[in-house]
Amino acid sequence: MKKLLLALVAFAPLALFAQKTTWKADPAHTSVNFSVNHLGISQVAGKFEKFDGTVVSSNKDFTGAQINFTVDVNSVNTGVDQRDTHLKSDDFFNAAKFPEMKFTGTAFKKISDDKYLLVGDLTIRDVTKTVTFEVVHKGGIIVDPWGNNRAGFIAKTKINRFDFNINYGKDNTAVGKEVRLVINLEIVQQKS
């Protein structure tokens, strides 16, 4: 009996991925951040407060996972109300007409022990472009104090905002064209 219990414990992590598992972004421990050059001399940083992310995987190391993410554009927060209102206008996101940004992953490939490439389609406003995120996954899967399986990732990329019809200041250097995105993602496995 003791050997049977030891075998079950040893193979429990494999059973976790014997079938597809669904994971959800933990909003209390996830952040969607961006930064952009201002006047060529500094960076303005901000984040989005409301988002939803889902990861569906059949593999313990998440290779080949299906990753989908949506961001509520109206939740933009740079710490300056006037700037946030401007970002929601048609000069930038046009949140009234395009209230969500969407990302649909098309490939999640392991490059080395904890490094991955995530390729997918990013939609901002009325434009969809393929983007690639560099992803780091450290610590594997852990069990939190409440018995939930958790995993964490940091995903980074750069986009050209003009590619997504965010053209404000295109003829000057007030706002840089390159936007850096950093997503600190903690996901929790959903219980059946």
Side-chain angles (χ1 to χ4, degrees), residues 124-143:
I124 302 175
R125 293 179 60 109
D126 56 346
V127 177
T128 301
K129 296 274 186 186
T130 299
V131 298
T132 301
F133 285 86
E134 294 178 356
V135 180
V136 175
H137 169 50
K138 290 197 177 198
I141 298 168
I142 61 104
V143 178

Side-chain angles (χ1 to χ4, degrees), residues 3 16 24 38 43 46 48 58 70-71 77 88 92 100 107-108 115 121 136 154 157 164 167 169 174:
K3 286 183 182 180
L16 173 69
K24 295 290 281 179
H38 180 248
Q43 294 288 310
F48 293 93
S58 300
T70 58
V71 172
N77 182 354
K88 295 174 196 176
F92 290 93
E100 274 189 345
F108 192 55
K115 292 184 174 62
D121 295 325
V136 175
I154 300 171
T157 194
F164 294 91
N167 295 319

